[in-house]
Amino acid sequence: MDWTNLAADLDEAMAALAQGVQTSLVVVHNGKRGAGAGVVWKTGGLVITNFHVVEQRGRISIGRNSRHTAAASLGVTLPDGSEAPARLVSQAPALDLALLQVDGLASPPAPIGDSRQAKVGQVVFAAGHPWGQRGSISAGVISAFDEARSDQTSVPIIRSDVLLGPGNSGGPLVDASGRVLGINTMIVGGDQGVAIPSHVVEAFINEQLVSREPATPPTTSPGAHSDGDWM
Amino acid sequence: MTDEKNSLEAISDALASAVEKAGSATVSVNARRRYPASGVAFNADLILTADHVVEREEDISVTLPDGSTVKAVVAGRDPSSDLAVLRLERPAPTLAEKAAVPARVGQLVLALGRPGSEGIQASLGVVSAIGGPIRTGRGGMLEQYLRTDAIPYPGFSGGPLVNAAGQVLGINTSGLARGASLAIPAALAWGLADTLAQHGHIRRGFLGVRSQPVSIPAAQQSTLGREQESGLLLVGVESNSPAEAGGLLVGDIIVGIAGQPVGDPDELFASLSGPVVGVSTPVEVLRGGRRETIAVTIGERK
């Protein structure tokens, strides 16, 4: 490697990485105030986001554009600015993950890295929409591999020193090659970067795809029917 | 082409390797009630850590990177620089490498810690500032410190601040300067640690004078033979003190100790640290407008 143009080379590598990450990054709206981020994970319009981004808490939820119809309140904004309705395919509150289906989605899926190979100290980037700033990128390193424990469950997490803000939730944590190592979540980490590792996300998705049935209404999220009736 | 890494990927790999390297000499120090803190294996069976995380003198253990736990005793501690040295029952397998080149402002650094059994932890930043000397608590003084914007996670005190090659630039501590995160430069820390391992404490010199800074007129600067704009006017000499025994008088203006100019209290303090304790040391004064050198055997601050 020739280091004479290190700064310029680095600039170029970062810009290319940011551009690549943004092509698979969406804004996820849940019909309420605020929004989260999501990643196009597989072709066919499968988008991963945080459960808490799409959580309805059993309250009345009204579609952004339609107060009186049964329009789906879940939707995404694509990198090109266009909007599309989304359908909740599955959710895993304990993992803070939700799988969405966006029909007709043309965005390419993000390259997925193997989070089990990740190392403390390696450079990572978080992509999302902190404080509403679309497609924002922030940098840091992996700080630790840890577990988020609650009464019953223990979820592996990746901690990083990347600073996150509201709107980063559900967005990707990527490595220096732009491969997704995890999904950022702000439920457990405060403003410090906590991500659900990509191998956990993969396992969640594969489980859903193997046992894929007509979407059943999740018990903790009343009204999440496939017909989009949130009432 | 496929294997060729761009600069970003190369830097990422280098940082991960730096963590792996320095992490192999970063240990977990169990010497307080709350979560453990961190330490650095710096010499055979010796661990350098922060003094403020050593809350007890007994029942201390160190968890090595391989997960094994080794009993340790306090070999020495210095609250004023917030450093402590622990002696292990058996040597640590890997020692930290001290950076040969001192830290520079702007340099990429990683703060490392091992505050538990989950493994090594790290945060990235730069050297934000190099400062000093600063007065610390208990009459101590630190000649130099490093400030960084790398996040000091809980339990990082006593762990290393390393460069991108995994060499130690300093020892992190939040115990100096009221919780602000500083690092004690490696050269300084290693030196203090050697003294602590040998003597158990840091000897700091004592003169027994009260003084105040005064400016030195140009005419008297020419008497000194150098440009030095201030000195320390003695306004008190303690009875039975090293100063009195050596013959220092109220009204003398101290301008140098052991060949080093002394123009303010910080410089006086710094000049009294280290090897001068117990040694007959030349104290340069202005007395009645004339330059005189008086031999004073420096005492030890208790």
Side-chain angles (χ1 to χ4, degrees):
Chain A
M1 182 76 211
D2 175 15
W3 297 115
T4 48
N5 290 314
L6 177 60
D9 190 73
L10 200 53
D11 283 353
E12 201 173 306
M14 294 238 208
L17 179 135
Q19 205 175 9
V21 170
Q22 284 161 347
T23 57
S24 309
L25 178 70
V26 301
V27 185
V28 177
H29 310 277
N30 64 6
K32 296 179 293 186
R33 283 192 177 190
V39 189
V40 182
W41 201 276
K42 283 190 188 301
T43 48
L46 284 175
V47 169
I48 277 284
T49 186
N50 278 156
F51 167 70
H52 77 263
V53 168
V54 298
E55 190 182 15
Q56 298 294 317
R57 296 183 191 282
R59 309 289 288 186
I60 294 173
S61 160
I62 296 171
R64 278 179 307 120
N65 302 318
S66 175
R67 174 175 290 266
H68 303 292
T69 69
S73 57
L74 272 184
V76 298
T77 304
L78 304 176
D80 65 6
S82 63
E83 305 207 352
R87 185 166 56 82
L88 183 66
V89 174
S90 179
Q91 60 186 7
L95 303 173
D96 197 17
L97 292 176
L99 184 61
L100 308 180
Q101 171 73 50
V102 179
D103 293 326
L105 181 64
S107 300
I112 309 300
D114 184 355
S115 47
R116 284 165 298 197
Q117 303 292 321
K119 292 186 167 70
V120 172
Q122 80 174 79
V123 173
V124 285
F125 299 86
H129 324 291
W131 308 101
Q133 183 63 55
R134 293 261 175 99
S136 176
I137 306 281
S138 38
V141 295
I142 291 180
S143 289
F145 299 102
D146 204 349
E147 289 184 343
R149 295 178 195 85
S150 61
D151 293 344
Q152 253 116 64
T153 60
S154 174
V155 180
I157 55 170
I158 300 173
R159 289 188 189 277
S160 74
D161 61 4
V162 178
L163 196 66
L164 302 182
N168 269 119
S169 285
L173 183 76
V174 306
D175 67 12
S177 307
R179 294 175 298 219
V180 180
L181 292 180
I183 294 296
N184 296 313
T185 171
M186 292 190 62
I187 286 288
V188 275
D191 63 352
Q192 217 141 78
V194 168
I196 305 298
S198 58
H199 73 270
V200 174
V201 181
E202 288 277 23
F204 162 67
I205 293 177
N206 290 337
E207 197 178 306
Q208 301 315 313
L209 297 185
V210 166
S211 63
R212 197 161 182 182
E213 299 165 7
T216 49
T219 50
T220 55
S221 183
H225 297 272
S226 56
D227 63 2
D229 180 1
W230 287 99
M231 297 304 288
Chain B
M1 186 64 203
T2 49
D3 281 348
E4 194 173 319
K5 293 193 155 124
N6 67 35
S7 55
L8 180 57
E9 294 165 326
I11 287 172
S12 180
D13 286 352
L15 293 176
S17 298
V19 170
E20 193 179 351
K21 177 183 172 176
S24 68
T26 303
V27 301
S28 195
V29 172
N30 313 297
R32 62 177 174 185
R33 217 177 283 172
R34 297 168 296 149
Y35 49 85
S38 304
V40 176
F42 78 101
N43 187 357
D45 57 349
L46 298 175
I47 301 293
L48 189 47
T49 187
D51 179 67
H52 80 271
V53 305
V54 182
E55 292 181 354
R56 55 178 186 252
E57 294 270 346
E58 288 171 357
D59 191 26
I60 293 173
S61 68
V62 165
T63 306
L64 302 176
D66 67 4
S68 63
T69 296
V70 183
K71 282 186 182 172
V73 294
V74 176
R77 54 195 307 177
D78 180 36
S80 74
S81 64
D82 197 26
L83 285 175
V85 172
L86 306 178
R87 194 181 301 278
L88 300 178
E89 254 184 7
R90 59 179 167 87
T94 312
L95 301 182
E97 182 185 341
K98 180 162 61 93
V101 181
R104 292 191 299 165
V105 172
Q107 174 176 16
L108 272 186
V109 288
L110 291 153
L112 264 56
R114 193 182 288 279
S117 55
E118 269 87 19
I120 193 71
Q121 299 190 6
S123 59
L124 179 69
V126 296
V127 175
S128 305
I130 298 175
I134 48 160
R135 298 241 177 181
T136 64
R138 306 195 198 184
M141 168 166 285
L142 201 58
E143 285 166 50
Q144 196 187 62
Y145 62 86
L146 311 176
R147 200 178 280 277
T148 173
D149 62 355
I151 297 174
Y153 291 114
F156 265 36
S157 277
L161 186 73
V162 305
N163 63 18
Q167 300 163 323
V168 180
L169 292 170
I171 301 295
N172 297 314
T173 175
S174 57
L176 295 166
R178 292 183 182 147
S181 178
L182 303 179
I184 301 156
L188 199 57
W190 257 246
L192 289 167
D194 284 341
T195 308
L196 287 177
Q198 262 185 306
H199 301 293
H201 68 287
I202 301 297
R203 304 174 82 193
R204 291 198 158 77
F206 176 69
L207 263 183
V209 297
R210 283 191 294 129
S211 66
Q212 62 185 53
V214 289
S215 58
I216 300 173
Q220 291 186 7
Q221 287 186 43
S222 65
T223 309
L224 285 181
R226 62 175 184 262
E227 286 182 17
Q228 180 176 334
E229 292 177 354
S230 67
L232 287 173
L233 171 67
L234 299 191
V235 297
V237 174
E238 204 175 300
S239 305
N240 304 316
S241 67
E244 188 189 61
L248 289 177
L249 301 174
V250 168
D252 286 346
I253 299 171
I254 293 183
V255 290
I257 290 180
Q260 292 299 311
V262 169
D264 61 39
D266 283 351
E267 287 178 358
L268 174 64
F269 201 100
S271 74
L272 293 176
S273 306
V276 296
V277 179
V279 176
S280 176
T281 305
V283 176
E284 184 185 20
V285 300
L286 285 172
R287 176 177 288 177
R290 295 215 320 270
R291 175 182 169 277
E292 288 191 30
T293 300
I294 294 163
V296 177
T297 302
I298 310 290
E300 183 173 358
R301 178 184 296 274
K302 299 295 183 224

